[in-house]
C-alpha cells in the first residue's frame, strides 16, 4: 500500500470548487497529499475549502483564472513560495451544448481556452519546477469525448480530443525528466455540469442502457485512478489514458 501513499506530496487540482475536481481533491487528501483547490469563483472556492476542512482534511486554496496566462504565472509563483508542487491535476472544464452550424467563435474559444489551453498554461508554469526537483505527476481530466463525438458537443469534443494529444505531447518532451503525464477519461458521471442530463429521463435511460454497468458513475469512483496516477505505483506509466466509463467505450 505504500506505493499508493501520497503523504508528503503537494497537489494542485484546477477547477476543484465542485464536481469531479472537488472529489479528486478530497480523494488525494484522504490518501495523504497536501491539496490546493483552485477555481475562478472565489465564493465557491471558499465554500469547497471549508467543506473539506469540516471533514477533517487539510486543504488550502488558490484563487486564479487558469485561462489567463498572467494570472497563472502569478498564482503558481505564489504557490511555489510554499514549496514544490509534486502533483498537478488539470481538471478545469466547461461544456456549452450548441450545434456546430450555430456555434459562435466566442463560445468555441471559451470552451477550448477552459478545457485545453488552461492545461497547457498551468503545466508550462509548473514543469520547470518539477524538472528541477527531479520529477512529478501531471494528470489531465479527459472524457469519452476525447475519442467519440456527439451532437451539440463539437467544441467540447474538439477540446477534449486535443487534451488527449497534449498529454502525449507532454509525455514526449518531459518523460525524460521523470515526469509522468497521463489522463483520466470519465464516461457519464452525475455532477453539477451533467445535472440537466441526469434529470432528463429519456437521456438518462439512454445512458443506463448504453453503459454495460447499467448506471451513471459516481465522481468518487474516479479517485482510484487519480490516486494511482499520482503515486509511485504509476512511475512507469506515461502518455496513457485510463477510461473510467462503466464499459461504455468497450462495446457497440
Amino acid at each position: 500500500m505504500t506505493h499508493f501513499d501520497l503523504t508528503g506530496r503537494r497537489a494542485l487540482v484546477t477547477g476543484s470548487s465542485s464536481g469531479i475536481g472537488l472529489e479528486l481533491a478530497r480523494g488525494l487528501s484522504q490518501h495523504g497529499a497536501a491539496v490546493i483547490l483552485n477555481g475562478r469563483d472565489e465564493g465557491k472556492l471558499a465554500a469547497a475549502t471549508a467543506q473539506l476542512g469540516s471533514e477533517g482534511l487539510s486543504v488550502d486554496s488558490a484563487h486564479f483564472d487558469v485561462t489567463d496566462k498572467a494570472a497563472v504565472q502569478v498564482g503558481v509563483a505564489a504557490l511555489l513560495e510554499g514549496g514544490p508542487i509534486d502533483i498537478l491535476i488539470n481538471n478545469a472544464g466547461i461544456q456549452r451544448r450548441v450545434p456546430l452550424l450555430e456555434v459562435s467563435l466566442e463560445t468555441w474559444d471559451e470552451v477550448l481556452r477552459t478545457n485545453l489551453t488552461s492545461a497547457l498554461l498551468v503545466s508550462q508554469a509548473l514543469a520547470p519546477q518539477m524538472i528541477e526537483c527531479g520529477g512529478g505527476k501531471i494528470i489531465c481530466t479527459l472524457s469519452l469525448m476525447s475519442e467519440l463525438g456527439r451532437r451539440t458537443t463539437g467544441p467540447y469534443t474538439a477540446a477534449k480530443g486535443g487534451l488527449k494529444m497534449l498529454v502525449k505531447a507532454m509525455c514526449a518532451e518531459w518523460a525524460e525528466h521523470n515526469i509522468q503525464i497521463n489522463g483520466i477519461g470519465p464516461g457519464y458521471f452525475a455532477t453539477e455540469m451533467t445535472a440537466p442530463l441526469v434529470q432528463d429521463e429519456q437521456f438518462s435511460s439512454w445512458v443506463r442502457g448504453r453503459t454495460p454497468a447499467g448506471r451513471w458513475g459516481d465522481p468518487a469512483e474516479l479517485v482510484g485512478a487519480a490516486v494511482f496516477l499520482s503515486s509511485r505505483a504509476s512511475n512507469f506509466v506515461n502518455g496513457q489514458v485510463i477510461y473510467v466509463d462503466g464499459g461504455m467505450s468497450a462495446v457497440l
Side-chain angles (χ1 to χ4, degrees), residues 171-213:
C171 169
E173 296 197 16
W174 299 340
E176 65 183 82
H177 301 291
N178 192 33
I179 302 174
Q180 290 84 53
I181 308 98
N182 295 287
I184 299 173
Y188 282 92
F189 279 74
T191 66
E192 284 185 14
M193 192 165 75
T194 61
L197 300 179
V198 176
Q199 293 161 10
D200 181 335
E201 183 50 39
Q202 182 177 0
F203 188 86
S204 198
S205 177
W206 176 84
V207 168
R208 294 192 298 269
R210 180 66 179 79
T211 305

Side-chain angles (χ1 to χ4, degrees), residues 42-57:
E42 198 164 6
K44 286 182 66 176
L45 185 62
T49 305
Q51 179 183 337
L52 295 189
S54 71
E55 297 171 15
L57 300 175

Side-chain angles (χ1 to χ4, degrees), residues 139-153:
I139 302 155
C140 296
T141 301
L142 307 183
S143 167
L144 268 183
M145 291 180 192
S146 297
E147 302 289 345
L148 305 166
R150 184 172 174 81
R151 289 173 181 268
T152 74
T153 66

Side-chain angles (χ1 to χ4, degrees), residues 206-235:
W206 176 84
V207 168
R208 294 192 298 269
R210 180 66 179 79
T211 305
R215 62 179 177 83
W216 288 75
D218 183 317
E221 293 173 302
L222 293 165
V223 169
V227 170
F228 168 62
L229 293 176
S230 298
S231 72
R232 289 190 296 127
S234 63
N235 277 358

Side-chain angles (χ1 to χ4, degrees), residues 5 12 21 26 35 39 64 72 80 86 103-104 126 129 131 146 161 164 172-173 207-208 220 223 226:
D5 184 9
L12 170 63
R26 175 183 284 112
V35 177
F64 59 88
V72 168
L80 292 179
D86 307 288
V103 66
S104 67
L126 280 175
Q129 169 255 295
I131 293 171
S146 297
K164 178 187 72 172
E173 296 197 16
V207 168
R208 294 192 298 269
V223 169

Side-chain angles (χ1 to χ4, degrees), residues 110-179:
E110 178 194 21
V111 174
L112 264 69
R113 276 200 319 273
T114 306
N115 292 278
L116 176 58
T117 305
S118 69
L120 173 65
L121 295 178
V122 184
S123 298
Q124 276 183 326
L126 280 175
Q129 169 255 295
M130 289 183 174
I131 293 171
E132 183 178 344
C133 291
K137 304 280 187 177
I138 298 176
I139 302 155
C140 296
T141 301
L142 307 183
S143 167
L144 268 183
M145 291 180 192
S146 297
E147 302 289 345
L148 305 166
R150 184 172 174 81
R151 289 173 181 268
T152 74
T153 66
Y156 185 80
T157 301
K160 291 298 188 180
L163 189 55
K164 178 187 72 172
M165 298 312 297
L166 179 60
V167 163
K168 296 180 183 297
M170 290 192 291
C171 169
E173 296 197 16
W174 299 340
E176 65 183 82
H177 301 291
N178 192 33
I179 302 174

